[in-house]
Amino acid sequence: MQINYFAQLKQPHTHLVTVDVFLSDFEEKQNYLDIFLPVWSPGSYLVREYSRHIAVMKGYDQDRNALMVEKTNKSQWRVHWEWGNVQSIQLSYEVYCHELTVRTSHVDSEHAFLHGPTLWIGVLNQSVSSIHLHLDCPEHWKTISTALTLKYKENNQWCFSAKDYDELLDSPLELGNHFCETFKVKDKTHEVAIYGKSFLPINTLIADIETLVKTELALMSDPPYSHYVFIVHFVPALFGGLEHAQSTVLQFDGRTLLNRKEYVRWLGLVAHEYFHTWNVKRIRPRALGPFDYQQENYTDMLWLAEGLTSFMDDLFVLRSGLCSIEEYLEIQKDNLQRYYATYGRNVQSLAESSYDAWIKFYRPEENTANITVSYYLKGGLLFSALHCVLLTYGHRIDDFILRLWQRYCDNPEQGMDSEEVLAIIEDLTDANMRQKITNWIYGTDDIDFLSFYQIMAIAAQWEEAKELDLGCKIEAVNGRLMLKTVQRNAWAWNSGLNAGDELLAINGIRIYPEEAEKWMSFLAPQTEYLFLMARLGKVLELKLLTPDKEKRLTQLVSSNQEKTRALLS
Ligand SMILES: [Zn+2]
């Protein structure tokens, strides 16, 4: 079957993309065709039901006679016709695109960001021999950035080809008049397409992306793509990234890039998404490709996909010379602090966290941190410990990654199972260590990360916290101080404070919404206070004894920077 998608964006201010899909050369004599729109996007493990943005699906034969289109489930349609009369069919629909995230589409008068799973329908039970995407843009839009192959361009009409439906979905497009710059590494063109603005000089931004690419390629050798596109959206308050096989989409608040900590975070995001080129887009859990776009694709191995990538991202920034060892250790300290503050680490294993990403990690609510642990966070820490373990066996994390890559190259069609990953670890260490790492993945016992870091001459410093840790998060919401989360078994939980409570006053003194970050510093330890709260429309008084100040991890320091740097490089 041949498929030609014609997307028309002539009135971008309406946020509508009009899509006409022409299908011809059916495989068998038949009188119906099943079509669907994906319900999720690979890399973002949540059913998002993109078809809710389509109002009507219409079908026509080659003579523009209307065909019956029957909806067969929330994201699937069956197009009917009389056998023998139809050689090709046309499907027509509009998609409303007005959500700017890495996994949704956004069209307005200035630009369009087209995310494949929200727009391009697929066909079931047909093998597709050719796919073309034709785009009809406003005349003043001069640029399109995408990993798809450009076939031709005439005025404001563009035509791209994809080798299959997966590549079409996996190749987002940025359209408009955005900034573009390219650089070459290992003979491959890397394009940086930036929509939006930042205060950072553009030369620095591009040069640092190029440095990160070179650092990652120093480990991975040859780029596994013909060209690569970084689509960047600098928009206030945005943060996120999504990996693709030959491109990535990065969203960040460009205004913050002159802040050193934010800039290092940005570099980590770039390094993270780019490393996914190998880890998850190629080296991958068995369930993650080929994909079933119509339902959840379960895997208990996101600790590999995201954990390893999370450990490597900051490491690549360090290895690139773009952050100092102190900045690197500060990030690792923050990670450990977040880990210690997550009660759910006692409840959920990395494997369980991965499997339930669809219903827990991607749908956080007040109790999430009490019953889950992030496979990014604990997964990243696990690989930091594995790196230390490997050092004691004369290896490093790089050897593990190259073994994973070799396995991918040997059998690229099939993803990996955890047995294969553990076998590589055993090969690089021994059977005892394999068992230990298995427990880290499938168990909930705490891992003594700090003792492993000593191998790299990294020590932890603990100090009494400056303020009380009451075990709850309070945020200002619509001018009210609301308890957002209450940590299980911590002080607030044991004292009977609830998520959803509003804090009004303590000892008759008003606490104001703008003090959400600092009100705890007003209180002394081991002292009784009268909390005035509001809950479900009632006001209540609670006499509560504050806890002692706790010791908190304040710093990771290297006692021998030369050694630490050498063992991390
Ligand atoms: Zn990731």
Side-chain angles (χ1 to χ4, degrees), residues 262-436:
E262 286 302 304
Y263 190 58
V264 172
R265 192 159 87 108
W266 155 255
L267 294 171
L269 178 67
V270 175
H272 181 102
E273 300 306 334
Y274 181 62
F275 188 59
H276 273 316
T277 305
W278 293 272
N279 190 32
V280 92
K281 293 316 294 185
R282 290 172 177 85
I283 301 163
R284 63 189 187 278
R286 199 157 287 179
L288 297 184
F291 300 108
D292 181 343
Y293 295 108
Q294 293 189 276
Q295 60 182 357
E296 292 88 344
N297 288 211
Y298 293 104
T299 172
D300 65 0
M301 290 177 66
L302 294 180
W303 50 268
L304 178 71
E306 294 301 346
L308 179 58
T309 307
S310 294
F311 172 58
M312 293 308 295
D313 57 22
D314 299 320
L315 194 58
F316 283 130
V317 178
L318 177 72
R319 288 179 178 183
S320 297
L322 295 172
C323 78
S324 67
I325 195 98
E326 288 84 1
E327 286 172 321
Y328 176 78
L329 292 178
E330 173 80 8
I331 295 168
Q332 303 319 310
K333 182 264 296 176
D334 289 346
N335 288 341
L336 275 173
Q337 275 185 343
R338 280 200 295 136
Y339 174 72
Y340 294 139
T342 305
Y343 183 86
R345 73 184 197 279
N346 304 301
V347 177
Q348 191 186 46
S349 70
L350 276 172
E352 291 164 340
S353 170
S354 303
Y355 197 86
D356 273 348
W358 301 86
I359 56 167
K360 290 180 180 166
F361 184 81
Y362 274 89
R363 290 163 71 179
E365 35 103 311
E366 64 187 43
N367 198 42
T368 300
N370 289 330
I371 56 169
T372 67
V373 66
S374 160
Y375 47 82
Y376 285 83
L377 178 62
K378 187 179 175 185
L381 291 169
L382 178 145
F383 283 103
S384 70
L386 179 64
H387 176 62
C388 299
V389 167
L390 290 170
L391 288 172
T392 64
Y393 286 82
H395 301 292
R396 48 186 66 220
I397 198 72
D398 308 51
D399 301 299
F400 171 68
I401 292 168
L402 292 175
R403 289 286 300 270
L404 292 173
W405 181 241
Q406 188 56 51
R407 155 61 183 82
Y408 164 78
C409 294
D410 291 344
N411 185 8
E413 299 306 316
Q414 193 172 48
M416 300 182 76
D417 59 31
S418 50
E419 281 301 304
E420 291 176 272
V421 179
L422 289 166
I424 292 174
I425 291 173
E426 182 174 344
D427 230 29
L428 293 170
T429 58
D430 57 36
N432 283 342
M433 194 47 73
R434 174 194 174 132
Q435 188 53 51
K436 196 166 187 170

Side-chain angles (χ1 to χ4, degrees), residues 115 169-172 228 242-249 277 281:
H115 174 64
L169 292 190
D170 191 45
S171 304
Y228 190 92
L242 191 63
E243 66 273 15
H244 301 282
Q246 297 203 77
S247 59
T248 181
V249 182
T277 305
K281 293 316 294 185

Side-chain angles (χ1 to χ4, degrees), residues 197-198 233-239 251-257 262:
K197 292 204 169 4
S198 94
H233 295 147
F234 283 138
V235 175
L238 282 190
F239 178 83
Q251 296 186 336
F252 208 86
D253 188 337
R255 300 170 304 174
T256 66
L257 292 180
E262 286 302 304

Side-chain angles (χ1 to χ4, degrees), residues 3-282:
I3 308 183
N4 280 281
Y5 298 84
F6 287 80
Q8 195 254 97
L9 297 100
K10 283 296 192 190
Q11 292 187 299
H13 67 280
T14 64
H15 319 299
L16 290 172
V17 179
T18 305
V19 186
D20 292 294
V21 188
F22 293 85
L23 306 120
S24 55
D25 298 343
F26 304 131
E27 214 164 71
E28 290 173 29
K29 290 176 179 170
Q30 59 187 101
N31 59 0
Y32 70 87
L33 188 69
D34 289 320
I35 58 168
F36 69 94
L37 194 71
V39 301
W40 71 288
S41 300
S44 185
Y45 307 100
L46 179 68
V47 170
R48 294 178 194 276
E49 296 161 335
Y50 294 121
S51 59
R52 66 205 158 94
H53 298 301
I54 295 178
V56 183
M57 179 69 68
K58 291 179 179 167
Y60 305 94
D61 68 11
Q62 65 276 3
D63 302 318
R64 282 290 292 177
N65 297 309
L67 300 175
M68 188 177 110
V69 180
E70 175 194 6
K71 191 139 195 197
T72 47
N73 72 33
K74 65 184 175 187
S75 60
Q76 192 174 313
W77 299 260
R78 177 166 286 186
V79 190
H80 299 266
W81 60 84
E82 248 179 71
W83 186 80
N85 290 340
V86 171
Q87 287 86 48
S88 67
I89 64 170
Q90 174 188 351
L91 295 159
S92 299
Y93 54 98
E94 279 180 346
V95 185
Y96 186 76
C97 305
H98 198 209
E99 189 182 359
L100 187 55
T101 74
V102 295
R103 20 135 172 91
T104 49
S105 292
H106 185 262
V107 179
D108 69 13
S109 56
E110 272 207 331
H111 88 132
F113 170 64
L114 304 183
H115 174 64
T118 68
L119 284 158
W120 318 129
I121 56 159
V123 290
L124 292 173
N125 308 317
Q126 293 279 326
S127 76
V128 177
S129 59
S130 104
I131 291 181
H132 287 89
L133 172 61
H134 309 257
L135 294 160
D136 188 0
C137 301
E139 274 166 29
H140 62 286
W141 287 11
K142 302 295 181 205
T143 309
I144 296 183
S145 298
T146 179
L148 293 171
T149 305
L150 179 65
K151 301 305 281 186
Y152 64 83
K153 175 184 182 300
E154 281 175 22
N155 302 321
N156 52 330
Q157 316 260 335
W158 304 63
C159 175
F160 296 92
S161 68
K163 73 173 191 293
D164 52 31
Y165 184 60
D166 297 290
E167 186 179 271
L168 179 71
L169 292 190
D170 191 45
S171 304
L173 303 102
E174 178 66 32
L175 302 78
N177 293 311
H178 51 276
F179 171 89
C180 273
E181 175 91 49
T182 60
F183 58 84
K184 275 201 169 186
V185 181
K186 299 215 171 186
D187 269 345
K188 300 288 169 67
T189 299
H190 298 73
E191 177 182 351
V192 183
I194 303 176
Y195 171 78
K197 292 204 169 4
S198 94
F199 290 122
L200 191 79
I202 202 84
N203 296 347
T204 308
L205 195 87
I206 305 291
D208 289 354
I209 293 175
E210 183 174 347
T211 302
L212 287 170
V213 167
K214 285 177 177 164
T215 302
E216 298 199 21
L217 285 172
L219 170 61
M220 302 309 298
S221 301
D222 293 326
Y225 45 77
S226 56
H227 66 293
Y228 190 92
V229 185
F230 294 89
I231 295 176
V232 179
H233 295 147
F234 283 138
V235 175
L238 282 190
F239 178 83
L242 191 63
E243 66 273 15
H244 301 282
Q246 297 203 77
S247 59
T248 181
V249 182
L250 306 162
Q251 296 186 336
F252 208 86
D253 188 337
R255 300 170 304 174
T256 66
L257 292 180
L258 287 179
N259 174 299
R260 184 66 199 158
K261 195 162 184 174
E262 286 302 304
Y263 190 58
V264 172
R265 192 159 87 108
W266 155 255
L267 294 171
L269 178 67
V270 175
H272 181 102
E273 300 306 334
Y274 181 62
F275 188 59
H276 273 316
T277 305
W278 293 272
N279 190 32
V280 92
K281 293 316 294 185
R282 290 172 177 85

